[in-house]
Amino acid sequence: QVQLVESGGGLVQAGGSLRLSCAASGRTFSTYTMGWFRQGPGKEREFVAGISWSGGKNDYADSVKGRFTISRDNAKNTVYLQMNSLKPEDTAIYYCATARTSYSGGPLRGMDYWGKGTLVTVSS
């Protein structure tokens, strides 16, 4: 079992930055692929970013490429999402998730564990 707890959400102005954190429990955290997803108002949950267990492979949804950066600190069992140049359309609940699988890029699917989410609101 893995437990994930997101933090760092809040209200920011368009063009601003925010860093989300996801703290994970579990002895095998470093071997799990980690990802960030989001669900905006009236929308389906969508993939945002993924990172391999080693941190050597990262990938992003087209909508956030060049603005968001995913990283992980396995010593702290934590994955981060640095969000820059935020836009109102980034407003969503952001979820951290993990899967016990390898990752070679692209949208993540079939995640095994999910956090409860943290709300990010971007005002214009």
Side-chain angles (χ1 to χ4, degrees), residues 2-8 20-25 36 77-79 96 114-118:
V2 177
Q3 292 183 324
L4 305 172
V5 180
E6 303 95 336
S7 62
L20 306 183
S21 297
C22 173
S25 65
W36 287 97
N77 285 353
T78 302
V79 63
C96 177
W114 294 84
K116 294 183 178 180
T118 185

Side-chain angles (χ1 to χ4, degrees), residues 4-41:
L4 305 172
V5 180
E6 303 95 336
S7 62
L11 175 64
V12 297
Q13 291 182 277
S17 298
L18 203 62
R19 188 177 76 161
L20 306 183
S21 297
C22 173
S25 65
R27 301 178 188 276
T28 61
F29 173 76
S30 64
T31 69
Y32 281 70
T33 293
M34 303 295 298
W36 287 97
F37 298 76
R38 68 186 183 186
Q39 186 169 16

Side-chain angles (χ1 to χ4, degrees), residues 12-115:
V12 297
Q13 291 182 277
S17 298
L18 203 62
R19 188 177 76 161
L20 306 183
S21 297
C22 173
S25 65
R27 301 178 188 276
T28 61
F29 173 76
S30 64
T31 69
Y32 281 70
T33 293
M34 303 295 298
W36 287 97
F37 298 76
R38 68 186 183 186
Q39 186 169 16
K43 298 181 180 180
E44 296 285 305
R45 185 176 295 184
E46 64 178 349
F47 167 77
V48 175
I51 187 168
S52 65
W53 67 268
S54 67
K57 183 65 178 180
N58 303 171
D59 206 4
Y60 306 88
D62 289 342
S63 59
V64 307
K65 285 181 178 178
R67 299 189 298 120
F68 291 10
T69 302
I70 188 171
S71 62
R72 66 192 297 166
D73 185 341
N74 290 340
K76 296 181 178 180
N77 285 353
T78 302
V79 63
Y80 305 95
L81 185 68
Q82 178 66 47
M83 306 185 294
N84 299 325
S85 302
L86 284 162
K87 304 174 181 180
E89 51 262 46
D90 294 318
T91 294
I93 298 174
Y94 283 73
Y95 299 90
C96 177
T98 187
R100 196 174 183 179
T101 186
S102 61
Y103 184 59
S104 57
L108 283 166
R109 301 179 67 182
M111 308 305 286
D112 298 317
Y113 302 97
W114 294 84

